[in-house]
């Protein structure tokens, strides 16, 4: 009898735990959609947030991670797409930092950008991580990898470890979270329009281009 009661208690506990998880998922899903941050149910190209209209250049932010294979695939399209952008439209790549390993890469990306070495090392890092199964666990390992490719080891380490880079990475991650984003890759226009990445990379870039050209034309008229 005691063993039977123990089994019943275990089953009851498992059921309650499962119900708790389900409730959390449903509540989270409802909140996410209530905020207007997670619904592409009608196949819309983008979601417009309740945020002020932008001024000046139209900014496209591509949130990514070096360890994300989908980000690598998008990057192959982004490279050529960026070169065809009209005047008044700028593309910024922001590496997410929602884990310890991603924070390391985010600081590395910022350091490489600071010294104009990000482009030279972008494909090298994607290739090393995804094709050669390289794992970079420390700033020193990354410094050895990028040394001589647009930046030297000492400069990379000094910049990546600086308080300024740390603050920039933290600020970018706060913006990522404030937008309601939880994964990568993601494209955001003017901190106001979140592109539907679920439609496919090519479709997402087409939607982004239509939007930025429209915004750029409106600002030219103004």
């Amino acid at each position: 009898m005691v063993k039977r009661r123990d089994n019943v208690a275990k089953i009851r506990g498992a059921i309650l735990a499962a119900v708790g998880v389900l409730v959390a998922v449903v509540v989270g899903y409802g909140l996410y959609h209530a905020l207007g941050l997670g619904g592409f149910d009608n196949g819309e190209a983008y979601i417009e947030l309740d945020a002020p209209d932008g001024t000046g250049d139209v900014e496209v932010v591509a949130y990514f991670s070096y360890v994300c294979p989908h980000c690598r695939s998008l990057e192959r399209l982004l490279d050529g797409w960026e070169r065809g952008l009209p005047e008044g439209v700028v593309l910024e790549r922001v590496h997410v930092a929602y884990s310890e390993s991603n924070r390391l890469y985010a600081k590395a990306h910022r350091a490489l950008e600071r010294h104009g070495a990000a482009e030279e090392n972008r494909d090298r890092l994607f290739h090393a991580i995804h094709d050669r199964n390289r794992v970079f666990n420390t700033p020193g390992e990354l410094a050895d990898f990028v040394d001589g490719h647009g930046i030297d080891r000492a400069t990379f380490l000094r910049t990546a470890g600086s308080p300024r880079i740390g603050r920039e990475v933290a600020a970018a991650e706060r913006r990522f979270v404030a937008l309601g984003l939880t994964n990568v890759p993601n494209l955001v226009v003017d901190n106001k329009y979140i592109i539907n990445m679920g439609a496919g990379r090519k479709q997402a870039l087409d939607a982004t281009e239509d939007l930025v050209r429209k915004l750029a034309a409106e600002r030219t008229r103004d």
Side-chain angles (χ1 to χ4, degrees):
M1 285 295 295
V2 173
K3 185 175 182 181
R4 183 178 178 183
R5 285 197 299 271
D6 287 344
N7 289 337
V8 171
K10 289 178 182 179
I11 293 172
R12 183 182 295 117
I15 292 173
L16 289 174
V19 170
V21 170
L22 180 60
V23 169
V25 169
V26 171
V27 171
Y29 183 84
L31 179 61
Y32 191 60
H33 282 261
L35 291 173
L37 298 176
F40 292 102
D41 297 333
N42 298 321
E44 58 264 58
Y46 57 84
I47 288 176
E48 181 177 354
L49 302 180
D50 183 15
D53 292 338
T55 58
D57 288 342
V58 178
E59 181 189 51
V60 179
V61 177
Y63 288 100
F64 80 103
S65 169
Y66 284 126
V67 299
C68 163
H70 301 296
C71 297
R72 185 192 191 187
S73 298
L74 178 62
E75 180 56 43
R76 288 168 170 165
L77 296 176
L78 271 179
D79 187 43
W81 181 79
E82 181 181 16
R83 289 194 290 270
L85 288 177
E87 185 177 351
V89 180
V90 295
L91 172 65
E92 178 188 4
R93 293 171 175 84
V94 175
H95 197 294
V96 294
Y98 48 64
S99 69
E100 194 61 35
S101 59
N102 268 310
R103 195 170 299 112
L104 172 66
Y105 288 121
K107 290 182 177 180
H109 174 67
R110 288 272 174 177
L112 292 171
E113 280 201 323
R114 179 69 52 79
H115 296 283
E119 184 174 354
E120 181 174 347
N121 286 283
R122 188 176 301 123
D123 190 59
R124 294 185 68 246
L125 281 164
F126 276 127
H127 175 68
I129 293 168
H130 296 284
D131 297 335
R132 303 183 67 84
N133 298 318
R134 286 287 301 272
V135 178
F136 299 95
N137 294 310
T138 67
E141 291 174 355
L142 280 165
D144 290 338
F145 183 77
V146 301
D147 185 31
H149 295 273
I151 190 171
D152 64 81
R153 188 180 195 280
T155 300
F156 173 84
L157 285 173
R158 183 174 63 252
T159 306
S162 69
R164 180 177 177 180
I165 289 293
R167 290 192 297 270
E168 289 178 357
V169 167
E173 188 60 21
R174 285 194 297 271
R175 184 169 65 165
F176 179 81
V177 172
L179 288 168
L181 302 177
T182 58
N183 54 23
V184 287
N186 258 297
L187 295 170
V188 179
V189 179
D190 264 9
N191 219 31
K192 183 180 177 75
Y193 304 93
I194 299 177
I195 304 299
N196 180 3
M197 302 302 296
R201 295 183 297 273
K202 179 64 167 57
Q203 291 85 344
L205 278 181
D206 287 344
T208 304
E209 181 159 359
D210 289 344
L211 181 58
V212 298
R213 287 185 182 277
K214 172 179 174 292
L215 293 173
E218 289 174 352
R219 291 178 195 180
T220 299
R221 287 196 298 271
D222 294 340

